[in-house]
Structures are given as structure tokens and as C-alpha cells.
Amino acid sequence: MILTSQKIQVEAFLVNNFDVASKEYSALPVDLDEIFCPVNQRQSFAGYSVLKAMITSAKSMITPIILIPNTQFNYDMAMRKVRKDFIVPRNPDKDLLAYNGNQRIQIAKELDYVAIYSMLVEDVRWAHTVHLVLDEGKITNESR
């Protein structure tokens, strides 16, 4: 089973040195075993049970998760604002790092999904930009 997403395509813009770059991203299924989740204690975050109930009843997510290459730099950048007691040491054996969606990945595993709709982006800058687009400009970080 694949945990799908209601949103499957976005266009994101990034400004760098007065130059505007634009990219389109499409969601695609990614095997859950290929994803490293850098945040633990997901079940203790606010709204976990509500999110699980929503995914269980809808059999989909509103937005896809965002994945970046699992490099040390991307890991360090992604963990900057996460509470230290929630951080999992980097596992270099996995190619992909969950920039967001750690709770949804955990829920997908609990519900016996094998893959999850994801947007693969180049780095943390693009991941943050895509996250803003998907969440209509309002990012909430349950791990703070």
C-alpha cells in the first residue's frame, strides 16, 4: 500500500543574490525503508493521534512529505531548530532524509504502508521553500 497525498505538484521560488529561481516538484511514492527519520518521540508530539485518525479515515495525507539527500550538511541544517532530546544521530546508510513528515512516516509504518508520497528536493533551502508553498506560508514545528 502507498500512502498518497492530496497535493501532488507545486511550483516554488527561491531568491538568491537578487536572482529568482523557480522549480516545479511532483510527489512520487518512496519506499519507507529508504528514508531516515532524524526526529524521535513522534507519538508524543501534539496532534499525533488526531493526525493518525485523519490519515486512517482519508487513506491519504493533505500534503506529501519532503525529502532531501541524507548528507551531513543537510542533516546539520535540518536539525538546527529541533529540540536536542528529539534528535536521532544521523544514519548514513539511508539515502534520503525526512526534512518534514516524521510523524506521517511513523503513522504510515504503523498502518502497514510500504511507500509514502514524497517530494524530493535538492537541499534544505529548497525544502523550506517547498514546505512554505505546501503549507500556504504557515509552517508549524511540533518539535520546538
Side-chain angles (χ1 to χ4, degrees):
M1 281 193 322
I2 299 170
L3 183 55
T4 60
S5 170
Q6 295 171 20
K7 290 185 182 179
I8 57 169
Q9 193 163 16
V10 296
E11 183 176 18
F13 298 89
L14 187 64
V15 177
N16 189 20
N17 296 329
F18 303 105
D19 184 35
V20 178
S22 126
K23 293 188 180 188
E24 272 193 24
Y25 295 96
S26 297
L28 60 133
V30 173
D31 188 322
L32 289 166
D33 290 335
E34 296 179 21
I35 304 168
F36 167 59
C37 294
V39 179
N40 66 14
Q41 303 180 41
R42 294 172 287 279
Q43 294 92 331
S44 68
F45 294 174
Y48 185 87
S49 59
V50 172
L51 179 60
K52 185 174 182 178
M54 288 172 54
I55 289 172
T56 301
S57 67
K59 301 208 181 339
S60 74
M61 307 173 289
I62 296 171
T63 62
I65 65 167
I66 301 169
L67 303 176
I68 55 179
N70 185 16
T71 65
Q72 186 66 51
F73 179 77
N74 280 342
Y75 172 83
D76 292 343
M77 293 298 288
M79 295 299 98
R80 287 176 302 164
K81 301 243 180 181
V82 177
R83 280 182 34 185
K84 300 295 180 222
D85 55 326
F86 288 164
I87 296 175
V88 174
R90 181 172 170 260
N91 176 359
D93 296 334
K94 304 275 185 170
D95 291 333
L96 300 169
L97 171 73
Y99 175 79
N100 80 332
N102 287 279
Q103 286 183 318
R104 290 175 284 165
I105 292 167
Q106 179 66 36
I107 291 167
K109 288 178 179 179
E110 290 173 12
L111 298 175
D112 294 323
Y113 285 94
V114 296
I116 189 167
Y117 263 47
S118 309
M119 289 194 172
L120 305 174
V121 302
E122 297 85 342
D123 58 32
V124 172
R125 293 176 318 131
W126 280 105
H128 184 73
T129 302
V130 169
H131 197 177
L132 283 168
V133 172
L134 286 170
D135 288 352
E136 300 173 355
K138 299 173 245 156
I139 296 176
T140 56
N141 187 346
E142 301 283 352
S143 63
R144 284 192 192 170

